[in-house]
Amino acid sequence: MPYSDTAGPARRKDDVVRCFAHTPTGALIAVVQISVRLTVSRDRRSVLMQSATGTQRDQALAAPTTAPRQPQASGELTGFQFLSYTDDAATLMLVRTSSGGLTTASLYAVSWSDGDWKLQVQPDGSAAVMTERDTQPAGVIGWSPEGAR
């Protein structure tokens, strides 16, 4: 999982991470960390409660807790692109490539809430706003795990 000494997460308890920097890099790392944890955690409810926000989060909490694994979180992270960024919200595209070479581009949104970046989730609890399967989208910045430190 990517992290940064300056952008976060500064705190972790079980599968819940928090204390991301109020910066574009903090928003990026929050999206990666929270979306993966939401996908693989055995305690999705805690991740949703503490790392997501909005009415869709509340709908996801009311949904069955056995949501299927989300394909957009599989594969190696190979790139990202900021579609928008303000002090209050960010929308990012994350690009992952599977071992079979399939490239998946997924859109994620975070908002600054209660002093931290929180993921905006779909009513079913999925992390991505939209997923496309395509070749590498134009304008994507290559991801290097070593570069995030």
Side-chain angles (χ1 to χ4, degrees), residues 27-106:
L28 170 63
I29 295 175
V31 165
V32 175
Q33 284 263 351
I34 296 168
S35 65
V36 170
R37 291 172 187 282
L38 185 61
T39 302
V40 301
S41 176
R42 293 179 191 261
D43 188 5
R44 292 182 78 243
R45 183 171 184 76
S46 290
V47 176
L48 280 167
M49 286 293 298
Q50 298 178 50
S51 300
T53 188
T55 58
Q56 293 176 327
R57 179 203 68 174
D58 297 339
Q59 293 171 353
L61 284 166
T65 58
T66 56
R69 296 240 184 245
Q70 301 158 30
Q72 72 269 17
S74 64
E76 180 181 346
L77 183 61
T78 56
F80 69 94
Q81 182 178 29
F82 277 89
L83 303 177
S84 67
Y85 179 85
T86 68
D87 282 344
D88 297 325
T91 304
L92 297 98
M93 178 189 338
L94 296 185
V95 178
R96 292 183 170 88
T97 304
S98 72
S99 58
L102 178 67
T103 299
T104 305
S106 302

